[in-house]
Amino acid sequence: MSWSCSRFIALFIVVAIAIILQLAKQLDNIAVENADWNIRMAESAEANKEEFRKGNMSAFVIGYTGEVGKEVVKQLANSDVFSRVVLIGRRNVEYTDEKLQALEQKVVDFEKLEESEDVFQGIDVGFCCLGTTRGKAGVEGFKRVDHDYVVKTGELAKKSGCKHFHLVSSQGANKKSSLLYPKTKGLAEAEISEMSFDRVSIYRPALLLCDRTESRPFEWVARKLLAPIAYVAPTAITIPTSVVAKAMINNCVAPSDKAVEILENKAIHQLAGNAKK
């Protein structure tokens, strides 16, 4: 390869990176609907938690062994905003932390979830963090987890008295998409939204930043490549799982009259107190 060709390639890479960073900064600066409310709820989170505790509410977390679910459980245990927290999954987890040990665990068969309707009975708030990948579960397995299990959870929760349902979805979710991942997520969102809960909160995080216990090579490479963009434009295309969980809890305790709300990546950052306008 000639020296001039090498220079051209290097220049091309530099220009490409500059363009990508500029686009990311533009995404980072996009205005968010209800931004003022998001920021206020983050700022008043502790006061809201104090008021919320007076309601003596209960919650369940399903999908609590996933990366977002683990953070939700940890932060729920440490915040004590609920008088009772039930963890619903296919296996028990051996916790060493005393606060986590105090949480109830219920083992269910997701293929026969309707047979475990009683575990949802009388629980006020649901946090649904179910999710897998096509690579791990195959096409049908992915649809079963990210759509069927999610919808069945919503149906049982609604029937059992749940008032506020939180759903972790994904950036780009769209039931009309021709692509498997966004379409599956979008269909689940749409069906949950139509179940007449008092309140539905849907979260659409971008690429999740965390130390995964399972191997996802593509995500690992993406996180490494996007690290500079995350530094320059932190709310554009990445978000730590701890921030998602914090936003979910801050939003849960916030007074709201919205029947259905969809929170995109930047709004999640704002609700967690991780970003301003």
Side-chain angles (χ1 to χ4, degrees), residues 145-194:
V145 174
D146 284 60
H147 176 270
D148 299 353
Y149 293 176
V150 169
V151 171
K152 178 56 69 173
T153 295
E155 291 172 349
L156 294 174
K158 172 60 181 174
K159 184 178 178 181
S160 300
C162 179
K163 301 176 181 66
H164 188 181
F165 194 87
H166 300 260
L167 174 62
V168 179
S169 183
S170 177
Q171 189 177 61
N174 182 353
K175 67 179 182 179
K176 296 181 180 179
S177 176
S178 60
L179 301 175
L180 174 68
Y181 189 84
K183 181 173 184 177
T184 303
K185 293 289 191 180
L187 286 170
E189 287 183 1
E191 291 182 56
I192 291 294
S193 298
E194 294 169 358

Side-chain angles (χ1 to χ4, degrees), residues 212 214-224:
R212 286 192 182 275
E214 67 177 13
S215 174
R216 291 191 183 181
F218 173 78
E219 284 193 10
W220 184 87
V221 172
R223 286 197 296 272
K224 297 301 181 184

